[in-house]
């Protein structure tokens, strides 16, 4: 795996979008259950995917962040925000506690707070860690995280088979704009995943062209007379209120209070006895063998 983050401190923080990876694991492995008949496909897939991330990235610190619900301020601005999303499948929901129990045994921090979206938690932690000298990798397929990319913050997308850590060049190749323009680009294009409408008739290429020419959405509004297409200018003129609202919906919060120290996120030594018990209960024979092989010479932590 290629890493091109700015390194100086030797500290690397991996932030994992918990629900995104749990969903991915759930749908990647269709049928798997414990000896008692309870579903374990999401747990197994999550353990395997997180293990691969840890092996490849070798972070000194790591946290898995979970959604605690929709942000009240976003719902107030747009009651339809994310309203089209189907409910979590019951078979996945009943496995989330198992995933968190695994993380506890693996000595990986796991955070969730009511009313706080995972994206905002991740953005806050990523920016705070970068300011403190960490290199940060955010693991998620959510395009909103492209707005965080900087010399010290990169992205790894599970859908990207190259396993490259995305930096500014990859963001530009994907969208046509710089990371600091992603919020305005998404405002113009809209985000169907989050049920956020964009400016009518303005697609990704037109949005990127506007931002390359004018720099920001505010500058576009200030120079509408210079927009050569009257159709595009008319759409922008009629959509100013909607687009300014979109900025508040799409811009990730970076100012949440961080009540944990970085030591709380340090990757620790796993509790092997606890993991043995979990794997036995879930019927994970292969993972049990791998665990024993990897820690054969290490003492059991009780």
């Amino acid at each position: 795996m290629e890493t091109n983050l700015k390194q100086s401190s030797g500290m690397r923080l991996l932030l994992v979008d918990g629900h995104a990876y749990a969903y991915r694991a759930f749908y990647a492995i269709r049928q798997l259950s414990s000896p008692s008949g309870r579903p374990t496909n999401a747990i197994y897939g999550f353990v395997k995917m997180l293990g691969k991330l840890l092996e490849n990235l070798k972070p000194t610190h790591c946290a898995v962040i979970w959604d605690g619900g929709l942000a009240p301020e976003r719902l107030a601005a747009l009651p339809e925000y994310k309203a089209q999303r189907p409910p979590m499948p019951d078979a996945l929901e009943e496995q989330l506690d198992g995933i968190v129990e695994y993380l506890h045994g693996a000595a990986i921090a796991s955070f969730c707070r009511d009313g706080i979206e995972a994206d905002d938690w991740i953005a806050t932690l990523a920016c705070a860690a970068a300011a403190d000298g960490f290199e940060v990798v955010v693991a998620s397929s959510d395009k909103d995280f492209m707005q965080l990319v900087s010399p010290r913050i990169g992205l790894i997308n599970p859908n990207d088979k190259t396993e490259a850590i995305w930096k500014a060049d990859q963001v530009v190749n994907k969208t046509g704009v710089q990371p600091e323009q992603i919020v305005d680009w998404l405002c113009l294009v809209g985000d169907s995943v989050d049920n956020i409408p964009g400016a009518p008739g303005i697609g990704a290429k037109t949005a990127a062209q506007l931002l390359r020419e004018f720099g920001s959405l505010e500058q576009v509004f200030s120079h509408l007379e210079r927009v050569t297409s009257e159709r595009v200018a008319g759409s922008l003129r009629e959509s100013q209120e909607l687009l300014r609202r979109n900025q508040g919906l799409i811009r990730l919060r970076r100012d949440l209070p961080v009540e944990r120290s970085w030591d709380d996120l340090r990757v620790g030594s796993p509790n092997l006895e606890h993991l043995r018990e979990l794997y036995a209960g879930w019927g994970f024979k292969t993972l049990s063998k791998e665990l024993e092989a990897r820690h054969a010479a290490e003492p059991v932590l009780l």
Side-chain angles (χ1 to χ4, degrees):
M1 177 182 296
E2 179 185 359
T3 58
N4 54 355
L5 292 169
K6 183 177 180 181
Q7 299 186 38
S8 61
S9 66
M11 299 184 298
R12 171 179 281 175
L13 171 62
L14 171 63
L15 295 170
V16 179
D17 184 346
H19 278 97
Y21 270 77
Y23 267 95
R24 184 174 179 82
F26 180 76
Y27 287 110
I29 303 172
R30 283 301 195 178
Q31 297 292 331
L32 193 65
S33 58
S34 70
S36 65
R38 299 178 69 89
T40 56
N41 55 324
I43 300 172
Y44 184 85
F46 191 98
V47 171
K48 292 291 287 185
M49 287 190 291
L50 181 60
K52 185 176 182 181
L53 285 171
L54 294 172
E55 181 181 355
N56 288 341
L57 296 172
K58 295 178 173 56
T60 57
H61 298 68
C62 180
V64 177
I65 313 298
W66 303 93
D67 272 321
L70 300 180
E73 63 273 16
R74 292 191 177 100
L75 283 174
L78 180 63
E80 300 82 16
Y81 176 64
K82 297 186 178 181
Q84 87 292 359
R85 294 190 178 185
M88 180 182 294
D90 292 340
L92 171 56
E93 187 172 9
E94 69 176 279
Q95 295 182 68
L96 295 183
D97 286 345
I99 293 174
V100 172
E101 189 67 19
Y102 159 75
L103 293 171
H104 177 70
I108 301 296
S110 176
F111 297 157
C112 182
R113 179 181 291 179
D114 289 345
I116 301 295
E117 296 187 49
D119 295 6
D120 293 321
W121 256 120
I122 290 172
T124 294
L125 289 169
C127 293
D132 283 349
F134 283 80
E135 53 170 321
V136 181
V137 180
V138 174
S140 177
S141 57
D142 191 333
K143 56 185 172 294
D144 288 349
F145 288 123
M146 290 190 289
Q147 65 188 268
L148 300 180
V149 167
S150 71
R152 288 197 178 276
I153 302 175
L155 309 179
I156 186 163
N157 186 335
N159 296 326
D160 182 1
K161 301 302 183 182
T162 71
E163 299 184 336
I165 296 177
W166 281 31
K167 297 308 301 296
D169 286 348
Q170 284 86 355
V171 172
V172 173
N173 288 340
K174 178 69 174 179
T175 66
V177 300
Q178 296 293 329
E180 57 269 23
Q181 297 173 307
I182 285 295
V183 171
D184 288 350
W185 181 76
L186 286 171
C187 286
L188 288 163
V189 175
D191 187 347
S192 60
V193 174
D194 290 347
N195 212 26
I196 300 174
I202 296 182
K205 291 183 178 179
T206 300
Q209 182 179 350
L210 287 167
L211 293 171
R212 285 196 301 269
E213 180 177 357
F214 296 100
S216 70
L217 193 54
E218 286 304 319
Q219 286 301 307
V220 171
F221 290 150
S222 297
H223 299 92
L224 282 175
E225 74 283 356
R226 288 170 45 192
V227 176
T228 55
S229 168
E230 182 52 40
R231 178 189 62 80
V232 171
S235 177
L236 291 167
R237 192 174 294 112
E238 294 173 5
S239 303
Q240 288 193 46
E241 183 177 348
L242 175 145
L243 294 173
R244 288 196 167 98
R245 180 208 63 189
N246 283 359
Q247 288 178 315
L249 295 170
I250 293 169
R251 183 176 290 112
L252 299 179
R253 290 191 61 181
R254 309 180 187 197
D255 60 350
L256 295 173
V258 179
E259 299 172 351
R260 304 288 187 98
S261 72
W262 296 128
D263 282 344
D264 293 330
L265 276 62
R266 187 175 292 278
V267 176
S269 298
N271 185 327
L272 299 183
E273 187 60 34
H274 188 45
L275 290 180
R276 288 186 183 108
E277 292 175 1
L278 290 175
Y279 289 175
W282 292 327
F284 292 170
K285 295 180 180 180
T286 301
L287 286 178
S288 294
K289 292 178 181 178
E290 292 175 356
L291 181 72
E292 298 302 335
R294 192 161 53 246
H295 298 285
E298 298 181 13
V300 175
L301 301 179
L302 300 176

